[in-house]
Amino acid sequence: MTSQSEPPMEQGPKGPQLDELLDGLMGWNRSFLRTLSDGLLAPERVAHAVLIQERDTYASPLRLLIFLFGIYTALTVFIVGGDLQSIETVTPASAEVLNAWLVEQGTDLETVNAVWSFWLNILVWPIMVISSFPFALLFKAFAPKRTLYGAVLVYLTTINTMTAALIILMLGLVLVSDSQTTMMLSLFLSTVIYFYVTARVVSAHYSSSLIGTILKVFSFMLLTPVTLVITVALQFLAFDQVMEHRFDQNVRDMIELRGDTAP
């Protein structure tokens, strides 16, 4: 629980003006470190600042989101490089059949795997942010009188903390494990941190009892299957776009491959 008083339910930030939004998305701000530190140690305090529209203490969630995305993308390219992630799961055909079909199309399985692995590991974080957006709607549902934009900003404070933790975990784990293990463990541990931070925020600003906090955090967990479905759909869409624009191929043809020999 936090000693901060909860703002009146009718309060909450409204959508920014264009010049304010553009300014908020550009450049480093020295308040970033304080925002990230408090986002882990006292996330309810950062959420409180968002809800009362206090702009001097912490960085804009939108600006911090863009900054962290840039770091994550660069770090992912450095760590993952050309590591392979097989596309064989999209077709019931054997790897030999799939490779033979791709060779007929002017490429091969290794090349496609390398390109898809590169893009997937860059897109996995944006996909995760988009697929978990229903969590922002939950924040709105828990406080209907607050603005949707305010709910999105509170959601972004939790996502920013998770992303910062993800970056730190990646930097640490890459020293002791391979790149794929690093990515998997980092995503898992940062997700645990996300639910911890969310529980702190819910307890301070969206619930008046321990039971209420537990039930509301549990509702976030119940949304996990929904986010998984959205994640798979977005990954498939991304794969379709990579195949179309990089290799000029239709994923449907790949899915329809059957048997042990190429059709």
Side-chain angles (χ1 to χ4, degrees):
M1 300 292 288
T2 180
S3 59
Q4 303 269 2
S5 60
E6 184 178 351
M9 292 300 289
E10 67 273 14
Q11 291 186 10
K14 301 183 184 299
Q17 299 295 320
L18 179 60
D19 56 348
E20 177 187 351
L21 177 61
L22 293 176
D23 178 68
L25 294 178
M26 299 175 64
W28 161 264
N29 187 303
R30 56 187 173 183
S31 63
F32 282 5
L33 292 179
R34 180 175 183 178
T35 305
L36 293 174
S37 174
D38 283 2
L40 181 61
L41 300 177
E44 64 277 7
R45 190 181 304 161
V46 182
H48 176 80
V50 166
L51 290 171
I52 65 173
Q53 306 178 66
E54 196 279 303
R55 304 174 186 274
D56 297 328
T57 305
Y58 298 113
S60 160
L62 291 169
R63 177 187 292 185
L64 189 53
L65 178 76
I66 300 301
F67 175 77
L68 291 171
F69 173 62
I71 293 180
Y72 170 82
T73 301
L75 184 60
T76 299
V77 172
F78 174 75
I79 291 177
V80 175
D83 283 358
L84 297 183
Q85 182 156 341
S86 180
I87 65 168
E88 295 173 39
T89 55
V90 303
T91 175
S94 65
E96 292 76 14
V97 171
L98 179 58
N99 185 63
W101 180 80
L102 289 171
V103 169
E104 290 180 0
Q105 314 305 312
T107 183
D108 58 74
L109 182 58
E110 182 178 354
T111 300
V112 174
N113 271 332
V115 172
W116 172 232
S117 177
F118 174 82
W119 282 108
L120 177 60
N121 285 287
I122 288 179
L123 293 172
V124 65
W125 179 83
I127 287 175
M128 178 178 294
V129 171
I130 295 172
S131 64
S132 60
F133 189 78
F135 294 157
L137 299 181
L138 265 187
F139 280 123
K140 170 63 176 174
F142 293 157
K145 292 184 178 180
R146 292 177 182 159
T147 64
L148 176 60
Y149 181 66
V152 170
L153 291 185
V154 170
Y155 158 71
L156 289 182
T157 64
T158 61
I159 281 293
N160 286 339
T161 302
M162 172 183 171
T163 305
L166 175 60
I167 291 171
I168 294 172
L169 287 166
M170 288 169 63
L171 286 170
L173 291 173
V174 74
L175 299 176
V176 296
S177 62
D178 61 81
S179 60
Q180 293 298 327
T181 302
T182 293
M183 293 298 297
M184 292 178 61
L185 282 177
S186 297
L187 287 170
F188 172 76
L189 293 175
S190 62
T191 300
V192 173
I193 291 173
Y194 171 80
F195 281 111
Y196 161 76
V197 169
T198 298
R200 293 275 297 266
V201 171
V202 168
S203 175
H205 300 293
Y206 294 90
S207 179
S208 58
S209 67
L210 177 60
I211 296 299
T213 297
I214 293 174
L215 291 176
K216 288 179 177 179
V217 172
F218 184 64
S219 67
F220 278 89
M221 296 180 178
L222 288 179
L223 270 183
T224 300
V226 176
T227 64
L228 289 176
V229 170
I230 297 175
T231 297
V232 171
L234 290 175
Q235 286 185 358
F236 183 83
L237 178 62
F239 179 61
D240 179 69
Q241 292 301 303
V242 168
M243 290 301 296
E244 178 179 351
H245 295 287
R246 178 64 174 80
F247 300 104
D248 194 27
Q249 297 299 321
N250 190 326
V251 173
R252 181 180 300 176
D253 295 335
M254 186 180 302
I255 295 174
E256 293 176 351
L257 286 176
R258 294 289 189 276
D260 296 323
T261 58

